[in-house]
Amino acid sequence: MTLRALFVILVFALLPLSAAAQDRSSVEQQFQAWLRNTVWPEAQRKGVSQQTFDQAFNGVHLNWQLPDLVPPGSPAQTPKRQRQAEFGSPAKYFNRGSLDGATVQGRRMMRAYAGALAEAEQTYGVPGRIILGIWGRESAYGAAKIPHNAFEVLGTKGFMSTRASYFTDELIALLQIAEAGHAPSQAMRSSWAGALGQPQFMPSNFLKYAADGNGDGHADIWRSEADTIASIARYLRQHGWQTDRDWGFEVKVPDAVSCTLEGPDQGRRISDWAAMGVARVNGRAFPEHESRGEGYLLMPAGRHGPAFIVTPNFYVLKDYNMSDLYALFVGHVGDRIQYGLGDFSAKWGTVGGLYRSDVAVMQRTLEAAGHDVGGADGLAGFKTRRSIGRWQEANGQRATCFPDAAMKPQLR
């Protein structure tokens, strides 16, 4: 190859990169203008000073590595991969390391912070084991590294993400936190979604629910374990935690009970579930006070994994993170910490390996047939799971209530 030919190849190879760099430079300029013209007036209206605003965004640029970004002029698309663990394979989410690590360290924290946990339970009615389950999952009891500049994350996602208005509101709340001096100067670090501190509160949740657990007049979710414990408990209480109910029970669901009965909108008395043949895996009867209360069938992997009867408290846990697997992990780890329980009786099947775009195609096909799948977002939530089961039953198939690759040719 001649030197001239090599030069021509290199020039053409670099053209797309130059165009992309120019496009990103233009978008960056739009971002800085958006900060000045949209974010600053609203922040000022909420009492944020010019000094706080300028310090917050000093050196901040768009972070193009964040998920679910929609640059100006780009169509919104369902991503092929979902980075958040809560929406992946159940077996992977409940892996040995995560379960054992959260349990072993949780027992240490239960001993170390027994007083703060007891105080939180007395004040808010939330059991210490549940607080520990959330604390462990969110930040490994404060040990997890929080990687991102929170202003960069929320600025980027407020400017160009699939939920831009939500993240813009969170950005304003973050500026209010900075203005009030709630956080130490080095603490404005967050997850890829903008969550803060040991309980991983979004900024608006900090403003609503952060609590002073050690009585020093401050709610410090960054450095104070007592404040972290109290803040998690207060959040759950404010979202409706019922002190006289557990979160749920692993059960066996007979074949005669359809998996399409899953969901918080299809609840019935737990005694009625028992009369249908749904039984606890440990062979014990449901507690009498629980039997009188309402329960809901939960099958996160359809017929391919463990099944549960859960209480309203399960959906309070889900308010913390809108994932069935998250709420289930928290409740399960809490039980392991306090009661020494082992793994679930049923094993997780090999499910959850489809692209979100594949699941979204199935969802749109089901919607066209009149099913309520909860939105074509590519995630197999309970509405999608039971819609698949209803479609299977209508087509003479055994209902498994979970999307799999074999369905793709039929649901497209």
Side-chain angles (χ1 to χ4, degrees), residues 128-261:
R129 73 182 195 280
I130 297 297
I131 298 169
L132 289 166
I134 289 179
W135 190 11
R137 187 65 205 180
E138 291 295 340
S139 67
Y141 307 101
K145 181 179 179 180
I146 309 299
H148 299 293
N149 179 320
F151 292 104
E152 178 184 86
V153 167
L154 292 174
T156 299
K157 295 179 79 70
F159 177 65
M160 57 173 193
S161 79
T162 54
R163 301 169 65 200
S165 60
Y166 165 77
F167 286 109
T168 300
D169 290 343
E170 293 298 337
L171 179 60
I172 300 298
L174 183 65
L175 287 164
Q176 291 177 270
I177 291 171
E179 179 66 30
H182 290 301
S185 58
Q186 73 279 12
M188 288 305 195
R189 311 294 295 175
S190 76
S191 69
W192 65 262
L196 307 170
Q198 296 191 50
Q200 285 290 274
F201 274 179
M202 293 302 289
S204 62
N205 283 336
F206 174 89
L207 295 176
K208 294 175 186 174
Y209 306 115
D212 175 15
N214 59 13
D216 67 354
H218 302 283
D220 186 347
I221 62 172
W222 295 272
R223 297 170 297 186
S224 170
E225 288 77 11
D227 290 2
T228 294
I229 289 168
S231 296
I232 293 171
R234 185 184 183 198
Y235 179 100
L236 296 176
R237 181 64 175 180
Q238 292 291 319
H239 281 77
W241 183 271
Q242 298 179 20
T243 58
D244 60 340
R245 302 293 303 272
D246 207 326
W247 67 266
F249 309 88
E250 187 185 0
V251 297
K252 295 179 180 178
V253 180
D255 290 340
V257 177
S258 175
C259 55
T260 64
L261 295 177

Side-chain angles (χ1 to χ4, degrees), residues 1-14:
M1 181 181 294
T2 67
L3 194 59
R4 177 181 174 81
L6 181 60
F7 175 76
V8 170
I9 291 172
L10 287 173
V11 168
F12 278 95
L14 288 172

Side-chain angles (χ1 to χ4, degrees), residues 249-282:
F249 309 88
E250 187 185 0
V251 297
K252 295 179 180 178
V253 180
D255 290 340
V257 177
S258 175
C259 55
T260 64
L261 295 177
E262 182 183 8
D265 54 352
Q266 298 190 102
R268 58 188 72 197
R269 284 165 60 109
I270 291 181
S271 59
D272 293 336
W273 288 112
M276 295 165 63
V278 177
R280 296 177 68 182
V281 295
N282 61 13

Side-chain angles (χ1 to χ4, degrees), residues 344-409:
F344 294 133
S345 174
K347 304 301 181 185
W348 296 106
T350 305
V351 295
L354 294 173
Y355 284 141
R356 278 183 61 179
S357 54
D358 291 332
V359 178
V361 170
M362 296 181 189
Q363 290 171 321
R364 285 191 285 270
T365 301
L366 289 166
E367 283 181 330
H371 293 278
D372 176 10
V373 298
D377 57 5
L379 305 176
F382 74 89
K383 288 186 176 182
T384 293
R385 296 194 295 265
R386 71 189 187 192
S387 292
I388 285 174
R390 290 166 181 168
W391 170 81
Q392 290 172 313
E393 290 177 345
N395 285 275
Q397 303 176 26
R398 175 179 179 268
T400 62
C401 297
F402 207 86
D404 61 50
M407 299 174 188
K408 289 170 61 177

